[in-house]
Amino acid sequence: MKYLIGLDLGTSSCKAIAIDLNGNIVAEASESYELKIRGKYIEQKPEDWWASALNCLSRIVEHLRTNIVAIGISSQANTLLTVDKNGIPLMNAISWLDQRSEEELNEIIRTLGYEEIHDSTGMIPNAGFTAPKVLWLKRRQGKIFSRVFKLLFSPQSYIVFKLTGRFIVDRTLASFSMLYNIREGCWWSDLIELLELNEDILPDVVDSHQEVGELKEDVMRKLGLEHNVSVIAGAHDQCCAALGAGLTDTSMVIDSTGTASAIIGMVEELPPKIPRDLLCYHYVIPDSWTILGTISTSGALIDWFLKLSGLTRSYENIERLAEKVDVGSNGVMVLPYFSGSFRADIPWGSRGTIVGLTLSHGVQHIYRAIMESLAFECRYFLDLIRSINPLINKVVLVGGGTKSRLWTEIKANVYNLRILKPAIVDTAPLGAAIIAGVGTKVFRDYSSAVSSVIRFQKEIVPKDEHVAVYEDLYKKYLILSSRLGDLLSSL
């Protein structure tokens, strides 16, 4: 039997799975690493990514020993890393959550124009993207920048270098950087010139399923491998998660809920005008694009509240209590902009808030209200995607958020669509493994791979009586978020 490995380098942990060609997980491993947070400065140590990846791969190899065909990479995006000619990091990586480059972002917007940036790159200008981080680095860390051999955009590029010695970025992560022109399929010359960059400092752009090399001999020894293994570029973790949930046509959208949330659809032609609130960038399938609405703080907001309330160890208890709370959380509503906003009508520097509290409310009301408000925020993006693609008839729910039955039911009723849950809900490493199979011709194409590998275990349908209540609450949520956005951003 042949095996494929998917290696997922997320925001807080590395996960690896090995699957057989029928989609059965035959081995898995995970290891966490830290974010270093100092106000708006949020960083990670690239060495932690490598140590975690190596440990996870070692445990997979120890279990399987042989018949491993390829490794595909799934990766967080927009985490900027600088390396010298030997691939040694010159400083901590600047996380996609980091907001230090606000001034640089505003300068880019003033020079190139908000609409031009969005239309050319498909990105909603935000300090979390790679482009303003690069300008910040040049302006504020000139000594370090003068020593940079390569600018890398994500753990994908660093781990691929450590595995193979090549500096690459796949097309999904390149086009998610705000440095890439999605309409011309290359680096955006206007922004490259503004940043005064030589394109040689950027990694080579490759397709997601491209084989970028084989494991270096020293890596093989560390892993205990006796035969070589192909390394396939892989993709942005949201794209991998979407593929691992079965997104190969336009009939579905993916609700991917982890540290952040995303509503992900697929289009086979670029819209002439991308809705201002949506991101659009390359998908793993050639000649197709991801169209996506995102919330930068989703599962992270749940975790924050549980820690703040001292309820981390009693998650099941608060879930049961929240299930007993009426739809609408007895008037409590949350604006979930705890790490900025990607909605055009909400300033990106807005802040989160909890409204409607009285002395009669408990933690269960706030807990449920967070889930409802995050569902409303996702619904906003879902409706925009449906305006482009009215053929959508189902949602596939993936990521850590699927563990909550309550949240799943809330989403089905807020979206008024049936929700499917795949048998494997942590789909980012699965998607990376599928890409590895396509890249090595183990699978004929993406559609046949998905047909062979992915199965669904559960379907949740909306309840009419709850749909009606949530429809009214959703309208109120839109009014509240719009009216408070400017005020919250000024605090």
Side-chain angles (χ1 to χ4, degrees), residues 305-327:
F305 177 70
L306 291 175
K307 290 177 183 176
L308 191 70
S309 307
L311 296 169
T312 305
R313 295 184 179 180
S314 54
Y315 162 79
E316 293 83 2
N317 290 336
I318 193 172
E319 183 91 355
R320 283 193 293 269
L321 289 171
E323 286 175 352
K324 297 175 183 178
V325 173
D326 291 339
V327 170

mmCIF file of all heavy atoms in Angstrom, residues 305-327:
data_model
loop_
_atom_site.group_PDB
_atom_site.id
_atom_site.type_symbol
_atom_site.label_atom_id
_atom_site.label_comp_id
_atom_site.label_asym_id
_atom_site.label_seq_id
_atom_site.Cartn_x
_atom_site.Cartn_y
_atom_site.Cartn_z
ATOM 1 N N PHE A 305 -12.351 33.705 25.617
ATOM 2 C CA PHE A 305 -13.431 33.840 26.592
ATOM 3 C C PHE A 305 -13.378 32.724 27.634
ATOM 4 O O PHE A 305 -13.590 32.967 28.828
ATOM 5 C CB PHE A 305 -14.793 33.845 25.886
ATOM 6 C CG PHE A 305 -15.948 33.909 26.847
ATOM 7 C CD1 PHE A 305 -16.197 35.063 27.565
ATOM 8 C CD2 PHE A 305 -16.757 32.801 27.046
ATOM 9 C CE1 PHE A 305 -17.245 35.129 28.475
ATOM 10 C CE2 PHE A 305 -17.804 32.849 27.945
ATOM 11 C CZ PHE A 305 -18.058 34.019 28.664
ATOM 12 N N LEU A 306 -13.098 31.502 27.196
ATOM 13 C CA LEU A 306 -13.023 30.388 28.146
ATOM 14 C C LEU A 306 -11.890 30.602 29.149
ATOM 15 O O LEU A 306 -12.049 30.346 30.350
ATOM 16 C CB LEU A 306 -12.834 29.074 27.397
ATOM 17 C CG LEU A 306 -14.037 28.586 26.567
ATOM 18 C CD1 LEU A 306 -13.670 27.341 25.770
ATOM 19 C CD2 LEU A 306 -15.240 28.309 27.447
ATOM 20 N N LYS A 307 -10.739 31.074 28.658
ATOM 21 C CA LYS A 307 -9.615 31.339 29.560
ATOM 22 C C LYS A 307 -9.935 32.489 30.509
ATOM 23 O O LYS A 307 -9.650 32.430 31.707
ATOM 24 C CB LYS A 307 -8.357 31.650 28.753
ATOM 25 C CG LYS A 307 -7.779 30.463 28.025
ATOM 26 C CD LYS A 307 -6.574 30.854 27.170
ATOM 27 C CE LYS A 307 -6.044 29.654 26.387
ATOM 28 N NZ LYS A 307 -4.926 30.052 25.484
ATOM 29 N N LEU A 308 -10.519 33.555 29.958
ATOM 30 C CA LEU A 308 -10.864 34.707 30.773
ATOM 31 C C LEU A 308 -11.850 34.335 31.873
ATOM 32 O O LEU A 308 -11.780 34.858 32.991
ATOM 33 C CB LEU A 308 -11.478 35.794 29.878
ATOM 34 C CG LEU A 308 -11.663 37.182 30.485
ATOM 35 C CD1 LEU A 308 -10.316 37.854 30.706
ATOM 36 C CD2 LEU A 308 -12.539 38.046 29.573
ATOM 37 N N SER A 309 -12.743 33.405 31.568
ATOM 38 C CA SER A 309 -13.767 32.993 32.527
ATOM 39 C C SER A 309 -13.315 31.845 33.423
ATOM 40 O O SER A 309 -14.070 31.417 34.300
ATOM 41 C CB SER A 309 -15.037 32.562 31.768
ATOM 42 O OG SER A 309 -15.456 33.567 30.874
ATOM 43 N N GLY A 310 -12.094 31.335 33.171
ATOM 44 C CA GLY A 310 -11.618 30.204 33.961
ATOM 45 C C GLY A 310 -12.338 28.916 33.658
ATOM 46 O O GLY A 310 -12.430 28.033 34.515
ATOM 47 N N LEU A 311 -12.860 28.791 32.428
ATOM 48 C CA LEU A 311 -13.704 27.642 32.083
ATOM 49 C C LEU A 311 -13.048 26.694 31.089
ATOM 50 O O LEU A 311 -13.725 25.847 30.521
ATOM 51 C CB LEU A 311 -15.037 28.138 31.498
ATOM 52 C CG LEU A 311 -15.911 28.953 32.461
ATOM 53 C CD1 LEU A 311 -17.054 29.609 31.700
ATOM 54 C CD2 LEU A 311 -16.452 28.070 33.561
ATOM 55 N N THR A 312 -11.761 26.844 30.882
ATOM 56 C CA THR A 312 -11.080 26.029 29.873
ATOM 57 C C THR A 312 -11.275 24.539 30.122
ATOM 58 O O THR A 312 -11.450 23.745 29.193
ATOM 59 C CB THR A 312 -9.576 26.359 29.850
ATOM 60 O OG1 THR A 312 -9.420 27.765 29.650
ATOM 61 C CG2 THR A 312 -8.882 25.623 28.727
ATOM 62 N N ARG A 313 -11.258 24.136 31.379
ATOM 63 C CA ARG A 313 -11.366 22.704 31.706
ATOM 64 C C ARG A 313 -12.805 22.218 31.802
ATOM 65 O O ARG A 313 -13.045 21.038 32.010
ATOM 66 C CB ARG A 313 -10.634 22.428 33.016
ATOM 67 C CG ARG A 313 -9.128 22.669 32.939
ATOM 68 C CD ARG A 313 -8.451 22.294 34.234
ATOM 69 N NE ARG A 313 -7.008 22.502 34.163
ATOM 70 C CZ ARG A 313 -6.172 22.259 35.161
ATOM 71 N NH1 ARG A 313 -6.636 21.794 36.325
ATOM 72 N NH2 ARG A 313 -4.875 22.483 35.026
ATOM 73 N N SER A 314 -13.757 23.137 31.714
ATOM 74 C CA SER A 314 -15.162 22.730 31.840
ATOM 75 C C SER A 314 -15.942 23.102 30.585
ATOM 76 O O SER A 314 -17.073 23.562 30.644
ATOM 77 C CB SER A 314 -15.792 23.376 33.074
ATOM 78 O OG SER A 314 -15.631 24.779 33.056
ATOM 79 N N TYR A 315 -15.287 22.926 29.435
ATOM 80 C CA TYR A 315 -15.889 23.263 28.153
ATOM 81 C C TYR A 315 -17.235 22.555 27.962
ATOM 82 O O TYR A 315 -18.221 23.161 27.535
ATOM 83 C CB TYR A 315 -14.921 22.890 27.027
ATOM 84 C CG TYR A 315 -15.557 22.776 25.666
ATOM 85 C CD1 TYR A 315 -15.857 23.911 24.920
ATOM 86 C CD2 TYR A 315 -15.873 21.535 25.125
ATOM 87 C CE1 TYR A 315 -16.440 23.806 23.674
ATOM 88 C CE2 TYR A 315 -16.454 21.423 23.878
ATOM 89 C CZ TYR A 315 -16.742 22.564 23.163
ATOM 90 O OH TYR A 315 -17.333 22.460 21.935
ATOM 91 N N GLU A 316 -17.292 21.270 28.291
ATOM 92 C CA GLU A 316 -18.529 20.515 28.083
ATOM 93 C C GLU A 316 -19.669 21.073 28.917
ATOM 94 O O GLU A 316 -20.825 21.093 28.479
ATOM 95 C CB GLU A 316 -18.322 19.031 28.411
ATOM 96 C CG GLU A 316 -17.382 18.292 27.475
ATOM 97 C CD GLU A 316 -15.910 18.491 27.844
ATOM 98 O OE1 GLU A 316 -15.650 19.192 28.861
ATOM 99 O OE2 GLU A 316 -15.046 17.967 27.128
ATOM 100 N N ASN A 317 -19.343 21.549 30.125
ATOM 101 C CA ASN A 317 -20.386 22.084 31.005
ATOM 102 C C ASN A 317 -20.999 23.362 30.436
ATOM 103 O O ASN A 317 -22.223 23.521 30.410
ATOM 104 C CB ASN A 317 -19.819 22.362 32.399
ATOM 105 C CG ASN A 317 -19.486 21.087 33.149
ATOM 106 O OD1 ASN A 317 -20.047 20.029 32.868
ATOM 107 N ND2 ASN A 317 -18.569 21.180 34.102
ATOM 108 N N ILE A 318 -20.152 24.279 29.996
ATOM 109 C CA ILE A 318 -20.694 25.524 29.459
ATOM 110 C C ILE A 318 -21.429 25.280 28.147
ATOM 111 O O ILE A 318 -22.417 25.957 27.831
ATOM 112 C CB ILE A 318 -19.588 26.601 29.289
ATOM 113 C CG1 ILE A 318 -20.234 27.971 29.049
ATOM 114 C CG2 ILE A 318 -18.631 26.256 28.165
ATOM 115 C CD1 ILE A 318 -19.258 29.113 29.058
ATOM 116 N N GLU A 319 -20.990 24.291 27.379
ATOM 117 C CA GLU A 319 -21.705 23.928 26.151
ATOM 118 C C GLU A 319 -23.123 23.470 26.483
ATOM 119 O O GLU A 319 -24.097 23.885 25.843
ATOM 120 C CB GLU A 319 -20.922 22.829 25.422
ATOM 121 C CG GLU A 319 -21.514 22.420 24.096
ATOM 122 C CD GLU A 319 -20.984 23.198 22.905
ATOM 123 O OE1 GLU A 319 -20.205 24.142 23.098
ATOM 124 O OE2 GLU A 319 -21.377 22.851 21.783
ATOM 125 N N ARG A 320 -23.264 22.620 27.510
ATOM 126 C CA ARG A 320 -24.597 22.136 27.902
ATOM 127 C C ARG A 320 -25.468 23.286 28.411
ATOM 128 O O ARG A 320 -26.653 23.362 28.097
ATOM 129 C CB ARG A 320 -24.472 21.057 28.978
ATOM 130 C CG ARG A 320 -24.040 19.697 28.432
ATOM 131 C CD ARG A 320 -24.244 18.602 29.458
ATOM 132 N NE ARG A 320 -23.342 18.770 30.590
ATOM 133 C CZ ARG A 320 -22.130 18.227 30.664
ATOM 134 N NH1 ARG A 320 -21.676 17.494 29.655
ATOM 135 N NH2 ARG A 320 -21.367 18.405 31.709
ATOM 136 N N LEU A 321 -24.889 24.185 29.195
ATOM 137 C CA LEU A 321 -25.653 25.326 29.696
ATOM 138 C C LEU A 321 -26.098 26.236 28.551
ATOM 139 O O LEU A 321 -27.237 26.724 28.531
ATOM 140 C CB LEU A 321 -24.808 26.132 30.690
ATOM 141 C CG LEU A 321 -24.546 25.484 32.053
ATOM 142 C CD1 LEU A 321 -23.521 26.299 32.836
ATOM 143 C CD2 LEU A 321 -25.855 25.362 32.845
ATOM 144 N N ALA A 322 -25.215 26.459 27.584
ATOM 145 C CA ALA A 322 -25.535 27.337 26.459
ATOM 146 C C ALA A 322 -26.621 26.739 25.569
ATOM 147 O O ALA A 322 -27.407 27.468 24.954
ATOM 148 C CB ALA A 322 -24.282 27.630 25.646
ATOM 149 N N GLU A 323 -26.679 25.423 25.491
ATOM 150 C CA GLU A 323 -27.728 24.765 24.698
ATOM 151 C C GLU A 323 -29.122 25.054 25.255
ATOM 152 O O GLU A 323 -30.106 25.039 24.520
ATOM 153 C CB GLU A 323 -27.491 23.253 24.664
ATOM 154 C CG GLU A 323 -26.331 22.838 23.768
ATOM 155 C CD GLU A 323 -26.036 21.348 23.841
ATOM 156 O OE1 GLU A 323 -26.644 20.676 24.715
ATOM 157 O OE2 GLU A 323 -25.220 20.863 23.050
ATOM 158 N N LYS A 324 -29.196 25.318 26.548
ATOM 159 C CA LYS A 324 -30.482 25.593 27.195
ATOM 160 C C LYS A 324 -30.904 27.051 27.066
ATOM 161 O O LYS A 324 -32.040 27.401 27.390
ATOM 162 C CB LYS A 324 -30.407 25.204 28.668
ATOM 163 C CG LYS A 324 -30.156 23.709 28.906
ATOM 164 C CD LYS A 324 -29.982 23.405 30.385
ATOM 165 C CE LYS A 324 -29.673 21.927 30.600
ATOM 166 N NZ LYS A 324 -29.454 21.613 32.044
ATOM 167 N N VAL A 325 -29.982 27.918 26.641
ATOM 168 C CA VAL A 325 -30.287 29.333 26.460
ATOM 169 C C VAL A 325 -31.125 29.504 25.197
ATOM 170 O O VAL A 325 -30.889 28.851 24.179
ATOM 171 C CB VAL A 325 -28.984 30.161 26.366
ATOM 172 C CG1 VAL A 325 -29.280 31.615 26.008
ATOM 173 C CG2 VAL A 325 -28.221 30.081 27.677
ATOM 174 N N ASP A 326 -32.105 30.410 25.245
ATOM 175 C CA ASP A 326 -32.973 30.636 24.095
ATOM 176 C C ASP A 326 -32.179 31.157 22.895
ATOM 177 O O ASP A 326 -31.133 31.809 23.051
ATOM 178 C CB ASP A 326 -34.059 31.655 24.437
ATOM 179 C CG ASP A 326 -35.077 31.110 25.436
ATOM 180 O OD1 ASP A 326 -35.176 29.873 25.545
ATOM 181 O OD2 ASP A 326 -35.743 31.926 26.094
ATOM 182 N N VAL A 327 -32.686 30.877 21.708
ATOM 183 C CA VAL A 327 -32.120 31.453 20.486
ATOM 184 C C VAL A 327 -32.058 32.969 20.644
ATOM 185 O O VAL A 327 -33.035 33.611 21.039
ATOM 186 C CB VAL A 327 -32.993 31.074 19.273
ATOM 187 C CG1 VAL A 327 -32.551 31.859 18.035
ATOM 188 C CG2 VAL A 327 -32.936 29.577 19.017
#
